[in-house]
Amino acid sequence: MMWGKDHWVGLVINLTCRQVEILDCNIPLNESDNEVNKHMAYLLRALPHVFAAFSPPSDSSHPEEDQAFSWVRPDNIYFNERSGDCGPCAVKFLEMHAAGYSYEDMEQIDDKKVDIFRQKYAMDTYEEFIGNAKVQNDG
């Protein structure tokens, strides 16, 4: 999710707990809880309605109230002090979450690892959208 014009965070939507985990590599440098609430308000209001639209009917007279979502931002994941790494970090956090890694594992990332996966993402993107990643030199 893009916050403002220059900050990416990863979102893990847990339907069972009705909670959105915000994977943010820049918590100490970023918004207060009030600012996070502003970024998340629309999504948190929309999720119960989306969830209800694709779920079996409920006996509740107010299903959207029964299905309220909240957010949490774990603070024990890698903290990145550099500018421009939030997008690749958000993607890496989501990959790690999908593979079953813990927040403690996410905390083990360092700037050198960020440099490596940024380069890998760039090459993967180039290969996917432009062509073979091998550079041709026609002399």
Side-chain angles (χ1 to χ4, degrees):
M1 178 179 197
M2 176 66 95
W3 285 0
K5 295 180 181 180
D6 60 1
H7 186 61
W8 288 97
V9 297
L11 300 182
V12 176
I13 301 171
N14 186 325
L15 298 177
T16 305
C17 298
R18 290 179 168 61
Q19 187 173 63
V20 178
E21 298 172 34
I22 303 169
L23 304 178
D24 184 359
C25 68
N26 286 326
I27 290 176
L29 299 176
N30 281 312
E31 294 90 354
S32 66
D33 286 355
N34 287 337
E35 289 297 315
V36 174
N37 284 332
K38 290 177 188 175
H39 290 301
M40 297 299 294
Y42 178 78
L43 179 66
L44 295 178
R45 279 194 313 268
L47 279 173
H49 300 286
V50 172
F51 190 61
F54 294 98
S55 299
S58 171
D59 293 335
S60 172
S61 59
H62 301 288
E64 63 279 354
E65 291 175 11
D66 295 341
Q67 297 181 4
F69 280 73
S70 62
W71 62 266
V72 62
R73 247 189 336 179
D75 61 0
N76 58 336
I77 60 178
Y78 166 69
F79 168 59
N80 182 270
E81 296 183 55
R82 303 184 303 185
S83 178
D85 290 334
C86 58
C89 286
V91 171
K92 180 54 77 177
F93 290 155
L94 291 171
E95 287 177 349
M96 292 177 76
H97 175 80
Y101 287 92
S102 68
Y103 296 139
E104 290 77 21
D105 295 321
M106 293 178 198
E107 189 176 34
Q108 300 306 310
I109 295 173
D110 59 26
D111 290 347
K112 289 181 182 180
K113 290 178 185 168
V114 172
D115 291 340
I116 292 168
F117 64 71
R118 279 180 66 106
Q119 183 179 32
K120 172 104 172 76
Y121 291 153
M123 294 307 292
D124 288 349
T125 302
Y126 181 89
E127 189 172 317
E128 179 71 23
F129 295 103
I130 306 299
N132 192 328
K134 294 181 182 175
V135 177
Q136 299 294 323
N137 186 355
D138 294 330

